[in-house]
Amino acid sequence: MSGHRRRPPQRSRRRGPAPQQKRWIDYPRRGRTGPRRWLPSVRQLLALFLFFFGGTAAAVGYAYATVTIPDPNPSTLLQNNVYYWSDGTVLATDGSVNRQNVTLAQVPADVQWAFIAAENSSFYTDPGIDPQGIARAVVHMAEGGSVQSGSTITQQFVKNTYLDQSQTFSRKFKELLISAKIGAVTTKQQILQGYLNTCFFGRQANGIQAAARMYYDLPVEKLDMSQGAFLAAAVNEPSLFQRADSDPVARKQAEARWSWVLDRMVKVGKLTPGQRARYAAAGFPAPRKWNPGSGLTGETGYLVQLARSYAEAHDRTITDSSLSRGGYQIHTTFDRKRTAALARAVAEVRKERLDPARRSVDRDVQVGAASVEPTTGRILAVYGGPGFGNAHYSDNADTSGVPVGSTFKPVVLAAALQHGAVLRPGRSPAPITPASKFDGDDGIEIKDQQGDYVTDDKDPSGLLHQHNDTTRRWGYISLRQAMEQSVNTPYVQLGEDVGYGNVAKTAGALGLRRDSLAAPSAGFYIGTSTPSAIRMADTYATFAASGVQATPYSVTKVTRDGSALPGFTAPAPVRALPPAIADTVTDVLRGVIARGTGTKAGALGRTAAGKTGTTDDYRSAWFIGYTRQLATSVVLFREDPAHPQLQSLVGVGGRHKVFGGDIPTEIWTQYMRAALAGLPDSPFPAPAPLGHGTDEPGAPTPSPSAAPVKRGGRTGTTAKPGKKTATTAAPRPGTPPSLPKCRPHKCH
């Protein structure tokens, strides 16, 4: 046998599956069962974090490397809104005119620190962004604390100067990148200076210099620490702080925020507790009273207001906000010399005729006036009131709410000449001319187109008895004479015969807005509507232009950054009335000045036409007149500031009754004399014949032997007063049958 030991045969061991190939990502995890198989390991979590962190860092780095600092927004440059007279000279400036850029050296150091303490205490040490500050602001506000800005001063400067105010992630991300880049290439002093010059403080003040003027009427150099703290607080909520002078709630919140800013200055070491106590003892630095547009004196404020409203209405990109940032050049239609002449005429007549010191009734007298160029609609001048400086912000020339009285009668006449009148029920409209005769007596009853009497629930009889200003028995008179003497009854009946729809249609064609027209009633035909003085002047300008209507407008061109904005071409004139009808109305209105209620206007010494108007209880008095070159309306009314409703003019100027042919006509005459100086006296076109007109039923024939027969309340009728059947007139479409159609009116 050999000396080697023989190894016993090895038994085969049972083995598991063959080894698997190693995976790049061991997930789901091998060798784990149940939920543990799906839980990532610490190593996997760390790897995932590093992957995303690295990817994000790379993406941010790439974005930072490629982002460029854009050019500053044009709105952050020193710009004004400039308004120009029609001759190209400057009328006024507003909007960003309140921004005057200042150097940081002009801003007191403690005022600078008020902003830093309130907005970004780490300003001088951070790189332009402060993630901790953003997170801290979010948490603080979530806990109900005071509003804090999550943005650094650098970020706010970037947003104001280079970006827009949109609240989007992309804009915010871009803001962060540019802020970091700005912080690396721009000094902190330059950033703070730019920030203070671009902040919006309310009261249309852009920049700290404008804010110092608007809130404290001081240059920025004169601001003290307490005032600086107020302005630093105002940046956060300018719409609140601008009302801190008059709104108790706004003042309380502003005072709390101001106090918080002082506390922040103590915390950052720029104010000692003792100094803080002294400022608290001195009290809240209340801003001066704010009058919007207080820098626009005299009539300038109303002119700018008109132009701004027109610009905003014709370009949706023009808003109060965009106008407050400035940069617009607005060219207007306003005539500098005529505007001054109109204000001068009002002042002279007021001084001559009104005596507020002796007569209390003269104290609240208001005047509104407007002058429009026929054929174009250009508003050349307005008188809106005593001015913003006298706390009168409502433009009397553009207000709605003062009834126009008998100055509406020419509209009724124009509608009658155009559409005819239903003089007998069931008949076709009959032609009407100024020679057509209607009953002019006082207290007559009125019929509608169906032949039914117009009702009035205030009258004991249940029927309307229409009145004139006097009880004179005119009998049947022509529409021409009724216009000259401002007799109401013929025009109320004529209006009913023409129909509300036709009269309203003609009024709209002449330029009156539908929302200014009164509801259907007998009084509608003698002036219960309330168009503005501008619209009434434009209506009469249509007569002056032989029936060509041009919408009144106040702006000819608007430019921004050297580019003209669309939408400001002059409105295209349109034919509103046939020339024969418009010229016939003018011919009738010439008689008002020649021998009617407007004879004082004859002192103008020119060919002119016009109409007086006085309303119920003498609550308003009008005169509207025109030549070929110019149409002007003047309205007089009383309005007690403590009771915003029209008061009676009785006693004004020492007169028991105040008519449109008195003070308004005097103002019109003085103004027109100056406004037309140097222009030729242009005659009106002779009206073309309109043919034969029809009289109201019952009117006497032109035969010499025919004499008017008076029966009861109407000439030529068989019914007697108090004996007529009180039938209810069939309502017109859109007229509630339960309402009376009219109240007695005494309009002129």
Side-chain angles (χ1 to χ4, degrees), residues 191-204:
I191 292 172
L192 183 59
Q193 176 178 299
Y195 165 76
L196 292 175
N197 280 326
T198 56
C199 284
F200 179 64
F201 291 85
R203 296 193 177 190
Q204 298 183 346

Side-chain angles (χ1 to χ4, degrees), residues 261-272:
V261 172
L262 294 181
D263 291 340
R264 287 289 302 165
M265 291 199 68
V266 173
K267 189 170 184 178
V268 300
K270 295 301 177 180
L271 201 63
T272 67

Side-chain angles (χ1 to χ4, degrees), residues 203 214 245 288-295 388-391 393:
R203 296 193 177 190
M214 293 302 294
D245 62 318
R288 68 188 182 98
K289 186 174 179 58
W290 180 44
N291 291 325
S294 58
F388 288 2
N390 291 300
Y393 304 110

Side-chain angles (χ1 to χ4, degrees), residues 93-119:
T93 59
D94 81 340
S96 294
V97 67
N98 288 328
R99 173 186 289 154
Q100 299 93 32
N101 284 349
V102 295
T103 64
L104 193 61
Q106 293 175 263
V107 183
D110 50 5
V111 175
Q112 296 178 34
W113 275 105
F115 283 86
I116 294 172
E119 295 294 315

Side-chain angles (χ1 to χ4, degrees), residues 621-682:
W622 292 73
F623 184 76
I624 310 174
Y626 56 95
T627 66
R628 290 285 285 173
Q629 303 101 325
L630 199 59
T632 301
S633 64
V634 179
V635 59
L636 190 78
F637 60 94
R638 278 186 68 226
E639 192 173 53
D640 181 356
H643 304 89
Q645 57 185 9
L646 296 182
Q647 308 291 317
S648 176
L649 291 169
V650 171
V652 167
R655 296 292 185 91
H656 176 63
K657 296 181 179 181
V658 178
F659 296 103
D662 190 19
I663 294 176
T665 305
E666 287 187 16
I667 294 173
W668 182 89
T669 304
Q670 286 204 30
Y671 162 69
M672 292 290 279
R673 186 181 293 120
L676 296 171
L679 297 179
D681 182 11
S682 299

